């Protein structure tokens, strides 16, 4: 059975959006935004703040498991923090070797480590040894920093370090998020490693999903921005029916927006919340003209109550929380 995973997306797919997207169905698990491990032992509150799902069996309200992602470069500190996190019984611990952000990379984290496969192996090995065997340790990597020269070495190093599954985002750090994507490199990695690979990068539609599987030979696929731009994408893939977003889908998405909006307001300040909804609507415009209409309605809104008024004008009610678990 092929698996579909919701990607970690810092500043975008927080617990609120994870809850809404996984409630729509189709995901086997999701991954949190990264937690940065530096010099200290992070308190449990740091993990539960990022992943409140840890308090509910490491699952979203609809029951989708959640893995927690760690980012760092020091094997011993990563291991100590992973062991501390393991006490909260996460569904899995994922290691980030893909983040291209300059601030993170300057501190030797994320994709900046991709020219040091031996370090990748030490980090993976130290974390694996520190965490009870029942908790999967997985990793997510890009193909390299400037080029793909060490992509195979990195994947082999992570396998040797003991990671159980590997997500490959088919770009180098230098590629950033340019549309060019190197799916063929996932296939090449698949020829040299034995561990399960999960293909990731530029899957926006059902057709892309089939293309990435054919190009990479992977059964399993991770969806990132495409999952946000079309909240029903995973379910649409599973259903095997109409492959394109439709006007009928929008009715369901309106309800999702209402739930999202009430949850976001409960979480962030009234001046921060409008940006969160605009961010999501901005991405949905790719698939839904109705999202564009809604975006225009609230574009000038700076405060939560102005957004609520705009949504009400277009007939969107803010659902209360109970609705989300049963959707
Ligand atoms: C806003 C944003 C934040 C991201 N944050 C993370 C992160 O915290 N950890 C990670 O491993 N990847 C992160 N990524 C990368 C995604 O998980 C994914 O690999 C990338 O978006 C490519 O997949 P896509 O083309 O399906 O979006 C992020 C991507 C975006 C767009």
């Amino acid at each position: 059975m092929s698996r579909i995973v919701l990607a970690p997306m810092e500043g975008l797919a927080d617990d609120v959006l994870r809850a809404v997207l996984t409630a729509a169905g189709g995901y086997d698990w999701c991954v949190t935004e990264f937690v940065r491990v530096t010099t200290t032992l992070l308190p449990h509150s740091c993990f539960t703040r990022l992943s409140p799902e840890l308090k509910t069996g490491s699952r979203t309200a609809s029951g989708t498991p959640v893995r927690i992602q760690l980012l760092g470069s020091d094997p011993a500190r990563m291991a100590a923090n992973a062991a501390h996190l393991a006490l909260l019984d996460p569904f899995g611990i994922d290691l980030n070797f893909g983040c291209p952000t300059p601030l993170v990379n300057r501190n030797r984290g994320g994709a900046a480590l991709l020219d040091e496969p031996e370090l990748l192996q030490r980090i993976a090995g130290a974390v694996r040894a520190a965490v009870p065997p029942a908790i999967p340790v997985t990793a997510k990597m890009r193909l390299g920093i400037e080029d793909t020269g060490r992509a195979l070495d990195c994947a082999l190093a992570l396998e040797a370090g003991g990671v159980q599954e590997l997500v490959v985002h088919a770009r180098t750090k230098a590629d950033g998020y340019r549309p060019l994507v190197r799916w063929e490199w996932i296939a090449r990695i698949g020829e040299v490693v034995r561990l399960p690979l999960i293909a990731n990068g530029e899957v926006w539609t059902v057709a892309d999903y089939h293309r990435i599987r054919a190009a990479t030979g992977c059964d399993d696929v991770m969806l990132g921005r495409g999952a946000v731009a079309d909240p029903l994408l995973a379910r649409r893939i599973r259903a095997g029916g109409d492959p394109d977003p439709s006007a009928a889908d929008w009715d369901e998405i309106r309800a999702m927006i209402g739930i999202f909006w009430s949850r976001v307001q409960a979480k962030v300040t009234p001046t921060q919340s409008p940006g969160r909804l605009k961010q999501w609507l901005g991405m949905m415009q790719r698939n839904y003209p109705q999202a564009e209409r809604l975006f225009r309605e609230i574009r000038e809104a700076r405060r939560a109550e102005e957004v609520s008024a705009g949504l009400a004008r277009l007939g969107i009610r803010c659902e209360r929380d109970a609705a989300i678990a049963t959707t």
Side-chain angles (χ1 to χ4, degrees):
M1 172 73 170
S2 30
R3 301 169 305 168
I4 302 177
V5 185
L6 178 62
M9 284 178 280
E10 205 255 328
L12 180 60
D14 66 343
D15 59 301
V16 174
L17 194 57
R18 285 195 294 272
V20 171
L21 294 180
T22 58
Y27 291 102
D28 289 278
W29 72 88
C30 52
V31 185
T32 66
E33 318 91 298
F34 64 83
V35 179
R36 236 177 94 202
V37 170
T38 54
T39 52
T40 51
L41 189 65
L42 296 167
H44 278 167
S45 58
C46 176
F47 298 118
T48 52
R49 202 177 322 117
L50 194 91
S51 180
E53 298 99 336
L54 284 166
K55 296 178 189 158
T56 52
S58 200
R59 287 175 186 270
T60 65
S62 56
T64 307
V66 183
R67 289 187 178 157
I68 316 298
Q69 190 179 67
L70 299 182
L71 180 149
S73 59
D74 183 297
R77 289 184 189 130
M78 287 287 277
N81 277 283
H84 199 48
L85 166 59
L87 298 175
L88 297 173
D89 206 15
F91 172 72
I93 298 179
D94 188 59
L95 306 174
N96 178 320
F97 300 112
C99 181
T101 311
L103 177 66
V104 165
N105 291 174
R106 260 201 306 280
N107 293 300
R108 291 186 80 236
L113 306 184
L114 290 170
D115 60 358
E116 298 176 69
E118 41 314 302
L119 178 58
L120 262 50
Q121 181 171 345
R122 283 200 291 128
I123 294 171
V127 171
R128 182 62 282 175
V131 169
I135 298 178
V137 173
T138 59
K140 179 163 179 283
M141 62 175 272
R142 285 194 181 228
L143 296 172
I145 299 180
E146 294 297 329
D147 57 53
T148 53
R150 305 209 74 181
L152 301 182
D153 294 338
C154 287
L156 284 165
L158 290 167
E159 179 172 57
V163 305
Q164 198 163 313
E165 286 170 332
L166 177 62
V167 178
V168 182
H169 175 192
R171 289 189 175 91
T172 63
K173 166 173 139 54
D175 290 337
Y177 284 96
R178 281 198 290 274
L180 162 129
V181 71
R182 305 169 193 265
W183 289 342
E184 71 282 5
W185 269 95
I186 303 181
R188 294 180 71 167
I189 292 173
E191 285 164 16
V192 301
V193 298
R194 278 185 303 273
L195 84 179
L197 286 187
I198 300 168
N200 170 241
E202 287 304 301
V203 176
W204 297 92
T205 63
V206 176
D208 291 340
Y209 169 80
H210 293 299
R211 274 200 290 272
I212 197 173
R213 293 180 77 216
T216 61
C218 290
D219 277 342
D220 303 329
V221 175
M222 175 179 271
L223 307 179
R225 292 159 302 162
V228 183
D230 179 3
L232 304 182
L233 180 58
R235 200 174 75 196
R236 207 188 301 290
I237 291 168
R238 290 256 182 253
D242 186 353
D244 296 316
S246 68
D249 291 337
W250 184 249
D251 283 340
E252 186 172 350
I253 293 170
R254 281 161 56 100
M256 293 167 81
I257 291 171
I259 294 166
F260 175 82
W261 180 238
S262 54
R263 285 278 178 104
V264 161
Q265 287 183 88
K267 181 175 170 179
V268 306
T269 66
T271 50
Q272 290 171 328
S273 52
R276 290 292 315 278
L277 182 58
K278 289 180 203 174
Q279 179 190 37
W280 190 23
L281 291 174
M283 293 180 74
M284 282 197 286
Q285 289 181 41
R286 188 183 177 111
N287 293 304
Y288 297 96
Q290 300 91 331
E292 195 183 335
R293 164 97 178 79
L294 198 46
F295 185 85
R296 269 191 276 118
E297 189 70 29
I298 64 162
R299 188 171 44 202
E300 304 301 329
R302 294 286 169 267
R303 295 194 56 82
E305 52 274 22
E306 299 168 51
V307 170
S308 296
L311 293 180
R313 280 196 294 279
L314 294 183
I316 296 184
R317 285 186 310 119
C318 296
E319 303 289 342
R320 286 326 309 173
D321 283 350
I324 204 164
T326 52
T327 322

